[in-house]
Coordinates of all heavy atoms in Angstrom, one line a residue:
A1221 N 110.7 -76.2 50.7 CA 111.3 -75.3 51.7 C 110.5 -75.5 53.0 O 111.1 -75.5 54.1 CB 111.3 -73.8 51.2
E1222 N 109.2 -75.5 52.9 CA 108.4 -75.7 54.1 C 108.7 -77.0 54.8 O 108.8 -77.1 56.0 CB 106.9 -75.6 53.7 CG 106.0 -75.5 55.0 CD 104.7 -76.2 54.8 OE1 104.4 -76.9 53.8 OE2 103.9 -76.1 55.7
F1223 N 108.8 -78.1 54.0 CA 109.1 -79.4 54.5 C 110.4 -79.4 55.2 O 110.6 -80.0 56.3 CB 109.0 -80.5 53.4 CG 107.6 -81.0 53.1 CD1 107.0 -80.7 51.9 CD2 106.9 -81.8 54.0 CE1 105.7 -81.1 51.6 CE2 105.6 -82.2 53.7 CZ 105.0 -81.9 52.5
R1224 N 111.4 -78.8 54.5 CA 112.7 -78.7 55.1 C 112.8 -78.0 56.4 O 113.6 -78.3 57.2 CB 113.7 -78.1 54.1 CG 114.1 -79.0 53.0 CD 115.2 -78.4 52.1 NE 115.8 -79.3 51.2 CZ 115.8 -79.1 49.9 NH1 115.3 -78.0 49.3 NH2 116.3 -80.0 49.0
L1225 N 111.9 -77.0 56.6 CA 111.9 -76.3 57.8 C 111.5 -77.2 59.0 O 111.6 -76.8 60.2 CB 110.9 -75.1 57.8 CG 111.4 -73.9 57.1 CD1 110.3 -72.8 57.0 CD2 112.6 -73.3 57.9
G1226 N 111.0 -78.4 58.7 CA 110.8 -79.4 59.8 C 109.4 -79.7 60.0 O 109.0 -80.9 60.1
A1227 N 108.5 -78.7 59.9 CA 107.1 -79.0 60.2 C 106.5 -80.0 59.3 O 105.8 -80.9 59.6 CB 106.3 -77.7 60.2
G1228 N 106.9 -79.9 58.0 CA 106.3 -80.7 57.0 C 106.4 -82.1 57.2 O 105.5 -82.9 57.1
G1229 N 107.6 -82.6 57.4 CA 107.9 -84.0 57.6 C 107.0 -84.7 58.6 O 106.2 -85.6 58.3
R1230 N 106.9 -84.0 59.8 CA 106.1 -84.6 60.9 C 104.6 -84.4 60.6 O 103.9 -85.3 60.8 CB 106.4 -83.9 62.2 CG 107.8 -84.2 62.7 CD 107.8 -83.7 64.2 NE 107.6 -82.3 64.3 CZ 108.5 -81.3 64.1 NH1 109.7 -81.7 63.7 NH2 108.2 -80.1 64.2
A1231 N 104.3 -83.2 60.0 CA 102.9 -82.9 59.9 C 102.2 -83.7 58.7 O 101.1 -83.5 58.4 CB 102.7 -81.4 59.7
S1232 N 103.0 -84.5 58.0 CA 102.4 -85.2 56.9 C 101.5 -86.3 57.4 O 100.8 -86.9 56.7 CB 103.5 -85.9 56.0 OG 104.2 -86.8 56.7
Q1233 N 101.4 -86.5 58.7 CA 100.5 -87.4 59.3 C 99.6 -86.5 60.2 O 99.8 -86.3 61.4 CB 101.1 -88.4 60.2 CG 102.2 -89.2 59.5 CD 101.5 -90.2 58.6 OE1 100.4 -90.7 58.8 NE2 102.2 -90.5 57.5
P1234 N 98.5 -85.9 59.6 CA 97.7 -85.0 60.5 C 97.0 -85.8 61.6 O 96.8 -87.0 61.5 CB 96.7 -84.4 59.5 CG 96.8 -85.2 58.2 CD 98.0 -86.0 58.3
R1235 N 96.5 -85.0 62.5 CA 95.9 -85.7 63.7 C 94.8 -86.7 63.5 O 94.7 -87.7 64.1 CB 95.3 -84.6 64.6 CG 96.2 -83.5 65.0 CD 95.4 -82.7 66.0 NE 95.9 -81.4 66.1 CZ 95.4 -80.6 67.0 NH1 94.4 -80.9 67.7 NH2 95.9 -79.4 67.0
A1236 N 93.9 -86.3 62.6 CA 92.8 -87.2 62.4 C 92.2 -86.9 61.0 O 92.9 -86.2 60.2 CB 91.7 -87.0 63.4
A1237 N 91.0 -87.2 60.7 CA 90.4 -86.9 59.4 C 89.5 -85.6 59.4 O 89.0 -85.3 60.5 CB 89.6 -88.0 58.9
A1238 N 89.3 -84.9 58.5 CA 88.2 -84.1 58.0 C 88.1 -82.7 57.3 O 88.0 -82.8 56.1 CB 87.0 -84.2 58.8
V1239 N 87.9 -81.5 57.8 CA 87.6 -80.4 56.9 C 88.8 -79.6 56.4 O 89.8 -79.4 57.1 CB 86.6 -79.4 57.5 CG1 85.3 -80.1 57.9 CG2 87.2 -78.6 58.6
A1240 N 88.7 -79.1 55.3 CA 89.6 -78.2 54.5 C 88.9 -77.8 53.3 O 87.7 -77.8 53.2 CB 90.9 -78.9 54.3
A1241 N 89.6 -77.6 52.2 CA 89.0 -77.1 51.0 C 89.3 -78.0 49.8 O 90.3 -78.6 49.7 CB 89.4 -75.7 50.7
G1242 N 88.4 -77.8 48.8 CA 88.4 -78.5 47.6 C 89.5 -78.5 46.7 O 89.6 -78.8 45.6

Side-chain angles (χ1 to χ4, degrees):
E1222 189 214 7
F1223 279 109
R1224 279 189 174 122
L1225 277 176
R1230 288 192 305 279
S1232 61
Q1233 303 290 329
R1235 304 189 201 181
V1239 306

